[in-house]
């Protein structure tokens, strides 16, 4: 059972999150930030995982703590659900077009944390979501999952399309990486561990 759940309470946020890498339902997202809910729903659908997220955050300040802390908790749950990573592909890459935009995500569930983020957003805010928080979310996700994550917008204009392409591409790349491969015996590493 590749599942994990976590409750995390701080002075800024209260988060309950659960996921199942091998089921597609349910997907229930309620962070209090509409655009972020939309992005997490897309991420779950394209990674084909069940994801439930319930957040109470200090949105009277702004959405920063909510977005970053969800990245932390989601990353911790992904790391736990992956266990020893035996038999999985480990790597995943996806290109996702969104009208005029083309986004790319490439990742390695290496046990080493690194984020390369190459995207510029002209619109600073989408609803209650500060677009600069996109990088903050993916940084928290990469570091807490302990994966290399490379994200790039190859071209595009619309900020919504750019961010959506990155979330979808990350979900699709993650699905590729966590999928079991019968040709892989043990862990897909010469070290014998990830």
């Amino acid at each position: 059972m590749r599942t994990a759940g976590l409750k995390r309470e701080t002075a800024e946020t209260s988060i309950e999150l659960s996921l199942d890498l091998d089921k597609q339902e349910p997907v229930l997202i309620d962070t209090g930030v509409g655009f972020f809910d939309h992005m997490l729903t897309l991420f779950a659908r394209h990674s084909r995982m069940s994801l439930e997220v319930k957040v109470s955050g200090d949105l009277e300040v702004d959405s920063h703590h909510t977005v970053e802390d969800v990245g932390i908790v989601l990353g911790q749950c992904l790391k736990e659900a992956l266990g020893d990573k035996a038999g999985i592909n480990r790597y995943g890459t996806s290109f996702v077009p969104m009208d005029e935009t083309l986004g790319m995500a490439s990742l390695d569930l290496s046990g080493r944390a690194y984020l390369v983020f190459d995207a510029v957003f002209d619109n600073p805010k989408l609803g209650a979501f500060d677009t600069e928080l996109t990088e903050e979310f993916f940084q928290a996700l990469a570091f807490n999952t302990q994966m290399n994550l490379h994200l790039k917008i190859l071209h595009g204009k619309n900020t919504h399309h750019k961010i959506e392409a990155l979330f979808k591409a990350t979900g699709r790349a993650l699905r590729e990486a966590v999928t079991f491969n019968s040709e892989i015996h043990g862990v897909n590493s010469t070290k014998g561990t990830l």
Side-chain angles (χ1 to χ4, degrees):
M1 294 285 296
R2 298 192 301 166
T3 63
L6 185 61
K7 292 182 181 179
R8 182 177 188 264
E9 299 266 352
T10 72
E12 297 164 340
T13 59
S14 173
I15 298 175
E16 291 185 49
L17 189 149
S18 63
L19 60 82
D20 188 327
L21 298 181
D22 301 310
K23 289 185 178 177
Q24 295 186 42
E25 297 289 344
V27 174
L28 300 168
I29 313 293
D30 182 8
T31 68
V33 182
F35 180 79
F36 189 43
D37 290 354
H38 180 43
M39 293 301 105
L40 290 173
T41 300
L42 294 170
F43 169 83
R45 294 295 187 202
H46 284 266
S47 63
R48 298 196 304 275
M49 73 170 67
S50 171
L51 179 62
E52 296 182 74
V53 182
K54 177 69 177 167
V55 184
S56 175
D58 57 353
L59 297 179
E60 71 281 359
V61 176
D62 66 12
S63 56
H64 187 286
H65 301 136
T66 294
V67 173
E68 183 179 30
D69 288 4
V70 168
I72 290 168
V73 176
L74 178 56
Q76 290 171 346
C77 285
L78 281 169
K79 181 181 176 191
E80 180 182 333
L82 285 165
D84 66 4
K85 304 176 193 167
I88 65 168
N89 284 320
R90 172 183 169 179
Y91 297 97
T93 297
S94 181
F95 290 83
V96 169
M98 278 289 301
D99 296 340
E100 86 298 342
T101 294
L102 181 63
M104 182 276 298
S106 190
L107 60 87
D108 175 9
L109 297 170
S110 61
R112 297 182 309 277
Y114 206 89
L115 175 68
V116 175
F117 189 87
D118 185 1
V120 175
F121 307 126
D122 293 330
N123 190 341
K125 205 167 187 75
L126 295 170
F129 182 84
D130 297 315
T131 58
E132 69 181 7
L133 295 179
T134 306
E135 184 173 2
E136 294 291 329
F137 169 79
F138 284 116
Q139 169 116 349
L141 179 69
F143 274 69
N144 285 276
T145 307
Q146 293 186 324
M147 68 175 162
N148 289 182
L149 177 59
H150 293 247
L151 298 172
K152 183 176 180 67
I153 294 297
L154 285 84
H155 50 260
K157 295 179 181 178
N158 183 283
T159 299
H160 186 130
H161 293 167
K162 289 179 181 181
I163 295 173
E164 184 166 333
L166 293 179
F167 272 84
K168 286 179 174 178
T170 302
R172 297 177 71 83
L174 186 63
R175 171 43 52 194
E176 181 183 350
V178 305
T179 296
F180 286 112
N181 185 332
S182 62
E183 297 179 358
I184 298 171
H185 302 284
V187 175
N188 193 7
S189 172
T190 55
K191 297 183 188 74
T193 185
L194 290 171

